[in-house]
Amino acid sequence: MRLLRIRLRNFRGVADRELTFAEHGVTVVEGPNESGKSSTIEAFGLLLDELDSSRKEAVRAVKPRHSDASPEAEAEFRVGGYHLLYRKRWLRPLTELRILAPSPETLTGREAHERVLAILNQATDYDLFKALRVLQDKPFDVDRIAGSASLRAALDAAAGGAGPGEAGEDTLVQRVEKEFTRYFTPKNQQPTGEYRTALDAHTAATAEATDLATTLARVEADTERHGEVTARLADLRQRLLADRGDLEQLGQRAKNVETLRARRDGADALVERASRDADLAAAAWAARQALVRGMSDYEGELTTLRDQIAAHAELRTDADTRRAGAQAMHQSADEAHRQALRSYQAADADYGWMRDAHELERVRADREALAEANREVEAAAAESAATEIDDRAVDAIDQADRSVRDARTTIEVAAATVRVERLGGAVVTVTEARGPGDSPTVAVPEARDGSAASQVAAMAGLPLSEPSAVLAGSAESQAGPNAAGSLAAEPAGAASAAAASLDGPRAVATATAVPEARTDLTAPLIRRITDPLVIEAEGILRVTLAPGASERELRAKLDAAESTLVALCHQTGVRDLAAARIRQQRHVEARAALVAAESARKRLSKDPAALADEQARLEARIADHLDRRDASVLPPADRDEAETVAEHRRAESEETAANLDRAADALRSAEARANELVAEAQKLAGRAEHLAAEHEAARVRLAEARAAAEDQVVEQRDGEAAKALAAAVRDRAAHDAAYREAEPDQVALLLGNARDVVGRTESEIAEARAELQHLAGRLDTVGDDLADRHREAEARRDAAEREKDSVTARAEAAQLLRDTLLRRRDEATRAYQGPFKEQVERFGRLVFGASFGVTVDADLRVAARTLDGRTDPYTELSTGAREAVAMCVRLACAALVGPDGGVPVIIDDALGAADPGRRRMLGALLAHAGSPAGAGSAGAVGAASAAAGVATARETPPEPTQIIVFTCDPDRYRAVGSAQVRSLGHNNDRDESPAP
């Protein structure tokens, strides 16, 4: 895109302005503030973006404030192969598009707007155009360029063909890394070893030479400055003479203004005196006329007043008659009302008696219901207290009961089992010892249907299921709580012991315990060994079987669990767990009944004492009414009859009260009217007397006034005073006009400013003299051998620099080789950013120097800047440095894109934060970027890629970038040598500079 011309009409403060731009290179548009520079950029953006029917704030904001005109913008530009002339007016919509090339065509309205957008999307990168603009009120950082299709296409073309390094590079990199660490630290890549030593020596020598050079330069600068200040002092003295001349002229104008002001003030005084005289004469004539009119008015009022007094006497007589009649009616109505009120009070008392009797019955019923509720609450509370049991105690009993059952089950499962069977005729006894309180153990006999070995095996491995036989008596007399339960197979070891104990033909089983259960064995016997057991064959052997340590521990746990259960039941007052559960259920039911009874009592919401008091009060009121009631009057049959009679009597009382109120109102009205007439009669008499006195006084005043001056004389004096006032007013107007023509406010302002100018010039002269004295003192303190010491320091610096260059060459060679090899590793990812980074650095080195470098992230944003070996984040740079880097990025983008979708770079008053030296370098960069050489630098990026074996897509020579700069400071861009300048004047000027 190339912008050729733009014209604004009625756009903000611009009435009519047209600007032309160079198609290539730099165009600098100079103009003061508010001359329409920023409005030109804004107008071009609105022209491309907004419809002519838009009512957005951005469109309404550009309408002129002091006229009803509609803003309008027209632009001529080339884009792709099109040459367009595009015009748009907002608020009063108008859109026109003339396509001048390649084929002439004219479009209007929305069709024209959409056609322009289609051409822009097809032929250029409009997003890149927005990103490369530097607007006055926007940040100057470059953003959103990573999404530019044309920039990416250019970078792809410049970076095509890059690839990763070869596999053999790894070993070489290790050797190069070792050489690199001789000169640089591995982590931070800072100089070390002999490289650090050479750098430090060179830095010290350079610092010494620089200090001396600085001192020498300061001396030279002081000398030059001394001459400049001397010349400035002479110029200030000449200026002071001119300023004092201007002050003297303005002083003379101020004196003339003062003379005119005195004349105007004198005329004001004459007008004031004439106005007072005219007011006095007018007042005297008005007073005379008022006296004459007053005499006539008094005579008419006296005649009217006498007629009113005669008519008023008749009204008083009629009012007295009406008042007497109203008094008689009021007395009759009052007596009727008193009788009706007494009847109503008696009927209302009877109705109250009937209400109290009904309420008394209700109170008695409430007291009975409350008593019944209290009895139910007391019964439920007693039941709850009788059955109260702690839930935690029940849980503890339940836990103890489970512990007893678990202990018993564990003993029965874990105890060993022995089977004893007599094989011969020998007497065998079994003696069993039980602990205190233990129940006897049940023995189960088994049929003798096998050998001793098979019977022992059955005891060791098979469960017993045959009916039990009881030792020392019948089973019914010896069975206890432990007789039931399953018998588990005993371990093999127990079976072996039992088999061994039965070895012999005359085995006799004997049991010993406390107490003992001794039984002659007549049938097979099976026992679980939970207590000591003795088997004896008399005269042959005795076998004693005792439970193991684990069985004793289990028995002890069972005893402890049973003791705990008994103790808990005793503490709670229950027999067992079932009794505790029943008692707990009864307590829950009792608590529920208590809550229900209390809720029923609460619903009655009556205080017993209050009910008793209310019953006594009602009984007393009924008795009192019966005592006071007239016994001769029949009482009402019930409450409804009493209410009906009371309501009837109340209506009669209200009717008689209304009659009494009406009679009272009539009486008050009659009395008020009679009293009012009496008061009016008194007022009329007083007013007649007063008017007669005033009439006489007015007659005397008029006679005295005419004796002093006749009416014609007073009227003549009033006319002459009015004429004198008109003449004085005309004279004052003439003097006031002459005073305003002298512009007193402007003269005072200019006079004060001239005095300030003289004072400022005198102050500048004093400052110049002081600076001359300071410079002379500084020059006197400098020694004569400064130049010799500077030459010696430079010689030392040169020697250190040669040594540094020698070491640096080796270090840089190692670093270059290392960086090159490492770059090959990351070449695939870096290739895309490489051309962009290289172009930015190419332009940046023209501004910052050869050590300039940048770090670019994946979004093509500058993340850091490197200068003189030091890398700083971009966001931490100074404002001037970031502004300069951003300018290099914009120009690099424009140069890379080139003619294939290239866009102009528009700058609105940038470089404000740059120092003069950097501003010169940036000016030269702008000139370079806008020249064919600058456009060729973008081709150099492609050439560098081609030198590395990468083919580039661009084969035609690139076109120079179009750069448009708007500024209010002409000196800021004076360093742009090849720039074409357009100067702006007032807002209605048109730039007629021809396009090149």
Side-chain angles (χ1 to χ4, degrees):
M1 180 193 295
R2 292 293 182 264
L3 182 59
L4 306 178
R5 179 178 62 86
I6 187 167
R7 182 176 183 180
L8 277 63
R9 295 188 187 92
N10 303 315
F11 196 96
R12 289 192 183 274
V14 179
D16 193 350
R17 162 71 47 70
E18 181 173 328
L19 282 173
T20 59
F21 308 100
E23 188 171 356
H24 305 292
V26 183
T27 302
V28 178
V29 180
E30 302 174 351
N33 291 331
E34 300 183 352
S35 60
K37 302 184 300 299
S38 299
S39 295
T40 302
I41 305 174
E42 183 182 14
F44 188 60
L46 291 178
L47 179 67
L48 298 180
D49 294 337
E50 300 298 337
L51 291 169
D52 56 6
S53 59
S54 174
R55 290 295 186 270
K56 293 182 180 178
E57 179 61 27
V59 173
R60 290 186 281 109
V62 301
K63 180 183 181 299
R65 289 188 176 275
H66 304 293
S67 69
D68 193 30
S70 299
E72 183 177 339
E74 179 183 285
E76 182 181 357
F77 54 99
R78 290 192 178 94
V79 54
Y82 293 91
H83 185 177
L84 306 179
L85 183 61
Y86 192 27
R87 176 189 174 202
K88 190 175 290 185
R89 183 177 66 206
W90 294 272
L91 304 184
R92 293 188 180 93
L94 173 67
T95 300
E96 294 179 353
L97 171 64
R98 292 175 56 198
I99 302 178
L100 306 179
S103 298
E105 187 178 356
T106 300
L107 300 172
T108 60
R110 191 180 187 92
E111 183 182 6
H113 177 81
E114 293 177 352
R115 181 64 181 279
V116 169
L117 292 181
I119 292 173
L120 289 176
N121 292 332
Q122 174 187 356
T124 190
D125 192 339
Y126 190 44
D127 291 335
L128 182 64
F129 168 71
K130 293 181 179 179
L132 297 187
R133 288 184 302 184
V134 183
L135 302 182
Q136 192 173 38
D137 56 345
K138 303 295 182 183
F140 49 77
D141 298 332
V142 183
D143 201 2
R144 305 187 309 276
I145 62 173
S148 169
S150 58
L151 180 60
R152 287 185 176 274
L155 293 174
D156 287 339
E166 298 176 356
E169 288 183 354
D170 291 340
T171 304
L172 179 60
V173 168
Q174 294 175 0
R175 295 198 302 269
V176 171
E177 188 70 28
K178 181 178 180 181
E179 178 66 16
F180 174 79
T181 55
R182 287 184 55 196
Y183 304 100
F184 299 96
T185 59
K187 184 176 181 180
N188 298 325
Q189 300 185 11
Q190 297 298 317
T192 186
E194 60 178 316
Y195 187 27
R196 177 77 270 168
T197 302
L199 290 177
D200 292 343
H202 176 261
T203 300
T206 302
E208 180 185 8
T210 301
D211 290 342
L212 290 173
T214 301
T215 303
L216 184 61
R218 180 174 56 80
V219 170
E220 295 174 352
D222 288 346
T223 303
E224 183 179 356
R225 179 62 180 166
H226 189 279
E228 293 175 354
V229 174
T230 301
R232 175 173 171 76
L233 182 59
D235 181 62
L236 288 173
R237 287 170 176 167
Q238 293 295 326
R239 188 186 302 173
L240 180 60
L241 294 176
D243 293 342
R244 286 176 175 171
D246 294 342
L247 179 61
E248 184 176 355
Q249 292 178 2
L250 289 171
Q252 185 60 40
R253 287 183 62 186
K255 291 179 180 178
N256 295 337
V257 169
E258 191 62 31
T259 301
L260 293 174
R261 182 185 292 111
R263 292 176 182 174
R264 186 196 63 179
D265 293 344
D268 286 341
L270 290 176
V271 169
E272 185 177 357
R273 284 198 299 272
S275 178
R276 287 197 300 270
D277 293 343
D279 291 342
L280 292 174
W285 174 237
R288 181 62 57 85
Q289 290 176 326
L291 285 175
V292 174
R293 286 193 302 271
M295 284 295 296
S296 177
D297 293 342
Y298 281 133
E299 291 172 357
E301 288 183 6
L302 281 172
T303 301
T304 302
L305 191 57
R306 291 189 185 103
D307 295 339
Q308 290 177 353
I309 291 173
H312 197 270
E314 296 178 359
L315 293 175
R316 288 178 60 191
T317 301
D318 182 64
D320 291 339
T321 303
R322 291 178 180 275
R323 180 171 58 182
Q327 287 176 347
M329 291 178 62
H330 181 266
Q331 290 176 356
S332 176
D334 183 61
E335 181 62 26
H337 176 64
R338 291 177 185 274
Q339 180 61 32
L341 185 60
R342 285 192 295 271
S343 299
Y344 168 64
Q345 289 174 347
D348 188 63
D350 283 345
Y351 179 53
W353 166 38
M354 290 298 174
R355 287 200 312 272
D356 290 343
H358 182 270
E359 184 66 16
L360 180 61
E361 292 178 1
R362 185 193 60 78
V363 170
R364 287 172 178 169
D366 288 346
R367 291 188 67 188
E368 180 61 26
L370 185 60
E372 179 63 24
N374 287 334
R375 287 192 294 272
E376 292 179 358
V377 169
E378 290 173 358
E383 175 66 15
S384 175
T387 61
E388 183 175 6
I389 185 171
D390 191 357
D391 292 342
R392 290 176 294 180
V394 175
D395 293 339
I397 292 173
D398 182 58
Q399 181 65 32
D401 184 75
R402 284 198 301 270
S403 298
V404 169
R405 285 186 274 110
D406 292 344
R408 287 174 180 169
T409 301
T410 302
I411 289 175
E412 292 173 358
V413 171
T417 303
V418 63
R419 177 186 177 95
V420 181
E421 183 177 1
R422 187 173 61 181
L423 301 179
V427 178
V428 179
T429 60
V430 178
T431 305
E432 180 181 24
R434 300 185 184 91
D438 289 351
S439 299
T441 302
V442 177
V444 181
E446 186 173 289
R448 302 172 57 185
D449 54 357
S451 63
S454 64
Q455 294 168 357
V456 171
M459 287 192 300
L462 297 176
L464 302 177
S465 58
E466 295 185 3
S468 302
V470 182
L471 295 176
S474 66
E476 291 79 3
S477 62
Q478 299 297 328
N482 295 327
S486 62
L487 298 176
E490 69 175 359
S496 300
S501 66
L502 296 175
D503 188 14
R506 300 176 60 189
V508 179
T510 304
T512 60
V514 181
E516 293 182 350
R518 186 179 181 90
T519 303
D520 290 336
L521 186 64
T522 59
L525 182 68
I526 298 174
R527 288 296 184 103
R528 291 186 182 279
I529 303 176
T530 59
D531 294 303
L533 185 69
V534 178
I535 303 172
E536 181 178 356
E538 293 185 12
I540 300 175
L541 61 85
R542 178 184 295 154
V543 178
T544 301
L545 300 177
S550 60
E551 285 80 356
R552 288 195 299 272
E553 292 175 359
L554 294 174
R555 168 59 67 176
K557 289 182 180 179
L558 174 61
D559 294 342
E562 291 177 342
S563 299
T564 301
L565 177 61
V566 171
L568 289 174
C569 290
H570 179 73
Q571 292 174 1
T572 313
V574 297
R575 185 177 63 257
D576 52 16
L577 176 62
R581 295 289 190 193
I582 294 172
R583 185 172 178 179
Q584 184 183 33
Q585 181 62 29
R586 288 180 56 196
H587 180 69
V588 170
E589 294 173 352
R591 288 296 301 170
L594 177 60
V595 171
E598 288 179 345
S599 177
R601 184 174 63 179
K602 184 180 297 184
R603 283 195 298 271
L604 294 175
S605 65
K606 296 292 185 178
D607 183 12
L611 289 175
D613 293 342
E614 187 176 0
Q615 181 178 350
R617 179 178 59 81
L618 291 172
E619 292 173 348
R621 281 170 53 181
I622 292 173
D624 180 67
H625 176 71
L626 294 175
D627 292 342
R628 290 187 291 104
R629 191 177 186 280
D630 186 2
S632 62
V633 179
L634 290 176
D638 53 19
R639 186 175 63 172
D640 293 338
E641 182 181 349
E643 183 179 7
T644 302
V645 173
E647 184 64 24
H648 180 67
R649 295 288 184 266
R650 184 188 63 79
E652 291 178 350
S653 174
E654 290 177 352
E655 183 179 358
T656 57
N659 293 336
L660 178 61
D661 291 340
R662 287 192 292 272
D665 292 340
L667 177 59
R668 284 193 297 272
S669 178
E671 288 179 346
R673 179 59 179 166
N675 295 334
E676 180 182 353
L677 291 174
V678 171
E680 288 180 358
Q682 292 175 354
K683 289 181 180 179
L684 289 173
R687 186 177 178 190
E689 183 179 355
H690 178 68
L691 280 176
E694 287 186 349
H695 177 265
E696 180 60 25
R699 186 190 62 77
V700 173
R701 288 196 300 273
L702 180 58
E704 291 175 352
R706 285 175 175 172
E710 293 294 333
D711 295 347
Q712 295 82 358
V713 175
V714 176
E715 183 178 8
Q716 182 179 1
R717 289 175 181 173
D718 179 50
E720 292 175 352
K723 293 178 181 179
L725 176 60
V729 169
R730 289 193 297 273
D731 188 48
R732 183 184 64 179
H735 287 295
D736 186 63
Y739 175 70
R740 287 197 302 272
E741 290 177 359
E743 298 179 339
D745 294 337
Q746 183 183 34
V747 170
L749 176 65
L750 293 175
L751 180 61
N753 186 66
R755 289 171 180 159
D756 293 341
V757 169
V758 170
R760 190 183 70 180
T761 305
E762 291 174 347
S763 176
E764 290 179 357
I765 290 175
E767 291 175 357
R769 289 173 177 170
E771 186 176 1
L772 283 176
Q773 294 176 357
H774 176 68
L775 291 173
R778 288 177 58 175
L779 291 173
D780 291 341
T781 59
V782 178
D784 297 335
D785 60 342
L786 179 61
D788 295 336
R789 287 188 286 119
H790 177 247
R791 284 192 295 273
E792 294 173 358
E794 285 185 335
R796 289 191 296 272
R797 180 198 63 194
D798 293 342
E801 185 173 3
R802 287 190 296 272
E803 176 63 20
K804 182 208 67 166
D805 291 343
S806 175
V807 178
T808 299
R810 297 193 300 273
E812 288 180 348
Q815 184 178 29
L816 178 60
L817 181 58
R818 174 181 177 271
D819 293 344
T820 301
L821 293 177
L822 293 179
R823 189 181 303 114
R824 291 286 296 171
R825 287 182 174 180
D826 304 328
E827 189 172 355
T829 56
R830 292 176 54 246
Y832 185 77
Q833 300 155 337
F836 177 76
K837 177 177 181 293
E838 183 177 355
Q839 186 64 30
V840 174
E841 290 178 344
R842 186 182 300 277
F843 282 167
R845 291 187 184 109
L846 299 177
V847 178
F848 293 94
S851 63
F852 173 80
V854 292
T855 301
V856 179
D857 62 15
D859 293 329
L860 299 184
R861 287 192 297 259
V862 175
R865 182 203 68 175
T866 301
L867 191 64
D868 296 331
R870 173 180 174 179
T871 300
D872 296 309
Y874 175 77
T875 55
E876 295 180 7
L877 299 177
S878 66
T879 302
R882 285 190 288 117
E883 187 178 39
V885 172
M887 184 68 71
C888 294
V889 171
R890 284 182 168 85
L891 296 177
C893 290
L896 282 167
V897 173
D900 303 327
V903 293
V905 179
I906 299 178
I907 303 169
D908 188 7
D909 245 353
L911 308 186
D915 57 70
R918 184 166 290 169
R919 197 179 299 166
R920 287 194 299 271
M921 299 304 298
L922 287 170
L925 176 61
L926 286 171
H928 174 72
S931 66
S937 65
V941 177
S945 300
V950 178
T952 60
R954 178 177 295 172
E955 298 178 358
T956 60
E959 297 182 4
T961 302
Q962 183 186 30
I963 303 173
I964 302 174
V965 179
F966 295 85
T967 181
C968 63
D969 184 2
D971 291 336
R972 187 176 297 177
Y973 294 93
R974 195 174 299 279
V976 185
S978 61
Q980 300 188 34
V981 179
R982 306 285 188 268
S983 297
L984 300 182
H986 299 291
N987 279 333
N988 58 355
D989 291 344
R990 294 179 60 183
D991 172 46
E992 300 296 345
S993 303

